[in-house]
Amino acid sequence: MVNSKCQKLKEMLDSESLEYLMECHSGLSAVIAEEAGFKGLWASGLSVSAMTGCRDRNELDTSEVCKIIEQMADHTSLPILVDGDTGGVDVNAARILVNKLTKVGAAGVCIEDKVFPKHNSFHSNGLDDLSDPALHCKKIEAMKKENPDFVVIARLEEFIAGAGLQEAYVRALKYQTAGADAILVHSKIKDSSEIDQFMELWSRDKKEGKKRVPIVIVPTKYYTTPTQHFEDIGVSLVIFANHQVRASIKAMQDVTRQIFEDKSLVNVESKIASVSEVFRLQRDNDSFVKETSWKSSKGKAVIISANKIVSLGEDTVINRQIDSYRRAVGVDESQVYVVLGEKSDSYLVNSNCNVCYNLDWRSTSEVSSIDLGLSQINFTGECEDFPIFISYGDLVFKDTVFRNLNYEKSADIVFVADSSYETILNEKGRYNENLLTNDSLEKLSDSYTVRGATVKGVDYWSDHPVFKNMIGTFSGVVMVNTYKGLLALKAAIKDTNFSSRFIEVINKLCQEGINLKAVLISKEDYVDIDSKYDEIRGRFLSE
Ligand code: SPV
Ligand code: MG
């Protein structure tokens, strides 16, 4: 079966219209070239060696080059023409090169008629740098024999070395006879006159009915020549040979110098790709199996969202929470129980979780939704029943909130409270002013997490002391760790009534002698979605 990438490259060479290859030197630059719309790639020797910090003088060995080509082939669907330099030290090296490049997914190779190790063509090359054409022919023959589908392009270095048109033309005929699929005519002068002269001979032969393989050029030095001219003179393929590596060098130098001067990132952030752009190019959130999907499910979750389903752009807060539960604490979607207020809303929730309805939500409170959610869980009495998370469906949390809860395995019940400075001061009217002593205020901050805070009471409506040494606002997540905790919670729910706030249930629990703890978070860790602005903040809150 013919390798389809080899075939694509061959089709580009044979096509009636002028085609283009874009330089790449890494998996990332290959992806970028493909995204830009190029149909094929040039794995430049100059760029690949520059990217590794080496000179373009065969300092990288074949295995090293192949590894980089493999990274390009792994991440794009485009045919890659590899710059094979001289093809290696001898005929066998050339044969082995084709074998290896075939294995790593390249479509073709281009070999130049210079002695090994080569210099880059834009260094001063002289006649001594040209290799024996007979050796070059033997290499081409061996390469085509190794894999007849693999595209082999013979590159002429005669203009570069000062050997002139006639020598280039004679060699081109020899390489064509040896089996080359195309000829690359290289030139380093500032106009296309050498290419023009060569094409005149080649086109004349063609007109006379002689077989002439396609011609490839690299207009790095004669870049001012309009591309249309190359089409007009019958060139088949143009290689833009080093422009990604040169663009990135300039960008890296500018940014790095700026950062060094400023010792700050503030002047560069808007000039560089965002981290999410890096993720996108890595296809980090496309087709990969979720890392957590292999883990067996642990625990359960109840999400209450009876009075409304809060949108989060294309998704809902509920589904974001469901994803967080899986990612952060390993609760499988099938172990999530969502309490909705309307049956018609069920399509908005991920299909694998359990949905029930608190149709009386207008006359009841969150306590009745929590009670309903808990009643749906079929307890097995196994330790897999716990922990049970309960969360409010209008809050978006960072995964760390759930992870931090999950560390608190010693308490019967743990809940989350926001104790950041700003939140507490905004809620000040609700607190017993006596709590806001200098001492307690000093303990407030806008960016910290305290695990295992001791709880004495959390009722911000009354005179209750809030925490022993800390204060905070209950922020919508509870974790029940033990059967004892579950029984106490159910009893406390029963003791209140279904129009009570959940905070009253927690306060009852404070009096039950169970081990109750809090995880204190800050306002940076979650978004309470009340407005369009909150929705946007919620969407962009990092996982
Ligand atoms: C390369 O890109 O490595 C080439 C083209 O061989 S040139 O640098 O122009 O010789
Ligand atoms: Mg090269």
Side-chain angles (χ1 to χ4, degrees):
M1 200 177 65
V2 180
N3 176 310
S4 69
K5 286 192 181 174
C6 299
Q7 204 169 0
K8 276 193 206 163
L9 183 58
K10 193 94 182 57
E11 281 165 12
M12 288 179 81
L13 286 167
D14 293 340
S15 93
E16 287 298 310
S17 55
L18 187 59
E19 302 281 358
Y20 309 92
L21 298 184
M22 184 64 195
E23 172 257 327
C24 61
H25 51 269
S26 62
L28 178 65
S29 56
V31 169
I32 289 173
E34 180 165 25
E35 271 197 4
F38 281 97
K39 284 159 64 180
L41 303 173
W42 165 247
S44 156
L46 172 69
S47 306
V48 166
S49 44
M51 195 265 296
T52 56
C54 292
R55 294 185 301 163
D56 187 12
R57 190 157 163 68
N58 300 116
E59 287 177 354
L60 292 172
D61 67 35
T62 306
S63 304
E64 288 171 303
V65 171
C66 285
K67 189 73 216 160
I68 297 166
I69 305 299
E70 187 175 28
Q71 287 161 359
M72 297 171 191
D74 278 353
H75 299 292
T76 64
S77 59
L78 300 185
I80 303 169
L81 175 63
V82 177
D83 179 355
D85 293 332
T86 66
V89 66
D90 60 17
V91 176
N92 275 310
R95 186 180 59 76
I96 291 164
L97 179 65
V98 165
N99 186 291
K100 287 197 168 177
L101 288 176
T102 303
K103 285 188 189 142
V104 296
V109 67
C110 175
I111 58 165
E112 61 205 56
D113 52 1
K114 286 209 299 245
V115 289
F116 180 96
K118 48 63 67 89
H119 290 287
N120 182 275
S121 303
F122 300 141
H123 276 313
S124 46
N125 285 270
L127 293 178
D128 285 353
D129 291 301
L130 292 177
S131 66
D132 183 336
L135 170 63
H136 211 57
C137 286
K138 282 284 171 220
K139 286 182 180 176
I140 294 164
E141 278 167 21
M143 290 169 118
K144 284 307 287 183
K145 199 166 163 209
E146 185 68 18
N147 179 355
D149 297 331
F150 200 74
V151 173
V152 174
I153 298 180
R155 165 165 153 181
L156 302 173
E157 289 286 308
E158 286 59 51
F159 289 126
I160 300 288
L165 173 65
Q166 201 50 35
E167 179 68 16
Y169 176 69
V170 169
R171 285 185 180 230
L173 292 178
K174 288 183 177 162
Y175 302 156
Q176 173 181 296
T177 307
D181 295 290
I183 302 290
L184 189 157
V185 190
H186 207 9
S187 168
K188 63 178 178 186
I189 59 175
K190 286 207 163 111
D191 59 50
S192 64
S193 53
E194 289 173 339
I195 306 294
D196 295 349
Q197 291 161 21
F198 184 91
M199 288 311 293
E200 236 178 277
L201 293 183
W202 212 245
S203 305
R204 179 205 62 195
D205 290 353
K206 264 173 125 175
K207 275 198 203 113
E208 288 172 4
K210 294 174 183 152
K211 178 198 159 193
R212 291 294 175 256
V213 292
I215 298 299
V216 182
I217 60 166
V218 181
T220 307
K221 292 288 178 184
Y222 46 98
Y223 63 89
T224 53
T225 305
T227 304
Q228 184 58 47
H229 176 71
F230 305 137
E231 182 142 28
D232 295 345
I233 61 175
V235 169
S236 293
L237 188 70
V238 171
I239 298 177
F240 300 120
N242 50 35
H243 298 79
Q244 286 214 73
V245 87
R246 284 167 60 196
S248 61
I249 288 171
K250 174 88 173 72
M252 288 192 283
Q253 285 171 332
D254 288 350
V255 166
T256 304
R257 280 184 193 135
Q258 182 88 54
I259 294 174
F260 182 75
E261 267 168 34
D262 299 347
K263 302 290 183 298
S264 161
L265 306 174
V266 74
N267 287 321
V268 300
E269 185 59 31
S270 62
K271 296 181 193 150
I272 59 178
S274 64
V275 174
S276 50
E277 175 64 357
V278 179
F279 291 155
R280 192 189 65 76
L281 290 165
Q282 292 168 313
R283 282 124 191 192
D284 198 0
N285 35 30
D286 283 7
S287 52
F288 287 90
V289 176
K290 288 241 178 339
E291 305 276 347
T292 48
S293 64
W294 55 270
K295 286 186 186 163
S296 55
S297 180
K298 182 91 183 71
K300 304 184 187 294
V302 172
I303 302 173
I304 54 164
S305 199
N307 55 353
K308 63 174 181 241
I309 293 201
V310 180
S311 149
L312 208 54
E314 285 174 3
D315 212 344
T316 62
V317 172
I318 296 175
N319 290 334
R320 160 106 188 207
Q321 282 192 15
I322 292 170
D323 289 346
S324 280
Y325 278 128
R326 173 86 238 181
R327 261 194 320 263
V329 284
V331 177
D332 189 71
E333 211 171 296
S334 65
Q335 300 303 312
V336 177
Y337 297 78
V338 180
V339 183
L340 301 180
E342 309 289 343
K343 293 203 167 160
S344 53
D345 283 343
S346 63
Y347 76 96
L348 289 165
V349 177
N350 285 358
S351 57
N352 286 334
C353 58
N354 309 279
V355 178
C356 59
Y357 304 93
N358 176 9
L359 299 174
D360 295 330
W361 62 271
R362 281 186 187 80
S363 57
T364 59
S365 75
E366 70 256 35
V367 172
S368 70
S369 291
I370 291 172
D371 188 60
L372 181 67
L374 289 173
S375 72
Q376 304 298 304
I377 300 177
N378 187 9
F379 289 103
T380 60
E382 304 291 327
C383 60
E384 274 71 28
D385 287 342
F386 294 99
I388 303 165
F389 296 88
I390 300 166
S391 51
Y392 288 27
D394 56 351
L395 300 165
V396 178
F397 296 97
K398 287 186 179 169
D399 287 0
T400 46
V401 172
F402 298 110
R403 283 201 192 97
N404 279 315
L405 268 178
N406 215 23
Y407 286 118
E408 295 301 331
K409 282 291 165 29
S410 64
D412 295 311
I413 296 180
V414 189
F415 65 91
V416 171
D418 176 354
S419 82
S420 48
Y421 193 83
E422 198 182 303
T423 310
I424 298 301
L425 290 193
N426 282 343
E427 308 251 1
K428 195 169 152 195
R430 295 172 169 184
Y431 285 96
N432 179 343
E433 292 284 326
N434 298 332
L435 284 168
L436 299 178
T437 60
N438 282 348
D439 230 26
S440 65
L441 284 177
E442 257 174 30
K443 295 194 168 93
L444 301 177
S445 144
D446 270 347
S447 58
Y448 66 84
T449 298
V450 174
R451 295 208 290 257
T454 307
V455 179
K456 288 180 81 185
V458 289
D459 189 347
Y460 48 61
W461 306 104
S462 72
D463 284 344
H464 253 290
V466 184
F467 301 99
K468 196 173 177 187
N469 291 314
M470 296 271 186
I471 52 180
T473 299
F474 172 58
S475 30
V477 195
V478 180
M479 178 180 75
V480 182
N481 256 331
T482 61
Y483 204 58
K484 183 179 167 194
L486 181 65
L487 290 179
L489 176 63
K490 286 194 160 184
I493 288 176
K494 229 176 177 176
D495 256 17
T496 52
N497 63 58
F498 282 166
S499 56
S500 307
R501 304 298 312 267
F502 188 61
I503 207 81
E504 291 174 37
V505 174
I506 297 180
N507 276 325
K508 278 201 185 306
L509 289 170
C510 292
Q511 295 148 19
E512 293 301 317
I514 60 162
N515 185 353
L516 192 63
K517 293 263 190 226
V519 166
L520 304 185
I521 60 169
S522 85
K523 68 179 177 51
E524 312 296 336
D525 295 324
Y526 74 109
V527 182
D528 183 356
I529 302 203
D530 280 331
S531 63
K532 196 78 199 156
Y533 171 68
D534 293 336
E535 181 189 315
I536 293 166
R537 281 177 55 230
R539 265 168 42 204
F540 291 101
L541 188 75
S542 63
E543 290 175 356

